[in-house]
Amino acid sequence: MPMFPLATVLFPAMPMALRVFEDRYLVMLSRVLQQETAEFGIVLIERGWEAGGGEQRFGVGTVARITEMEAEGHTLGIVVRGQRRIEVTRWLDDDPHPRAEVQDLPELSWSDALLPLREEAERVVRRTLAIASEFTQQRWPTEVALSDDPIRALWQLAGVAPITALDQIRLLRCASAEELLRALIEATMGAAEVLTAAWDEDEFPDLDGQE
């Protein structure tokens, strides 16, 4: 499968906008667009940079399907949507873009017994989005709508939560819906604590001029 290492995680059921300008990835997209499904894999960069190559990559990612495309000079703007989770079983030589042999990870299954945990996770995520919006503009509003499908909604909650990329990759690896919900609550509450602490520090008095 063609692979696109990035500095962020794509979750199933989540959209992502990309601007592609490197020749190797323009070649990749030209090949992908010849396929019926127009799909490639996205993995998180563990060390290194998005441009230039030579990066080290995590071995778990998500299949991205192209839904929109717009060309502007030597740059291609695309919108993709996450499909299913994959695990890299073997990295192949670049040709000229990264390639890998992959296998699908099992789909998560839903139980209505998880509904109280899901409601708690949603409260925590929306509250933390509200806190984060006090510091910087957030891509996702507090009242962002979620899918009616319970599993897609879980991935969407993970995707909109204002957490770090390392927390995101931890969530992507979860083997059950319950594990995902508990890890999401933990990661998001941790992010909220950091934000709240920074908020409190901003209220400290200025020391300039004090004796």
Side-chain angles (χ1 to χ4, degrees), residues 74-114:
H74 193 65
T75 300
L76 197 61
I78 62 172
V79 176
V80 302
R81 185 169 291 274
Q83 301 299 306
R84 60 193 184 278
R85 297 181 300 158
I86 51 174
E87 181 178 18
V88 174
T89 57
R90 186 165 73 98
W91 285 103
L92 306 175
D93 293 336
D94 289 3
D95 180 36
H97 53 81
R99 301 177 302 141
E101 294 178 355
V102 302
Q103 63 183 15
D104 289 354
L105 289 174
E107 297 285 346
L108 302 185
S109 59
W110 174 254
S111 167
D112 286 343
L114 295 174

Side-chain angles (χ1 to χ4, degrees), residues 29 32-33 37-38 40 64-69 78-81:
L29 290 180
V32 165
L33 290 169
T37 55
F40 58 93
R65 178 174 297 169
I66 299 174
T67 59
E68 299 178 35
M69 180 177 62
I78 62 172
V79 176
V80 302
R81 185 169 291 274

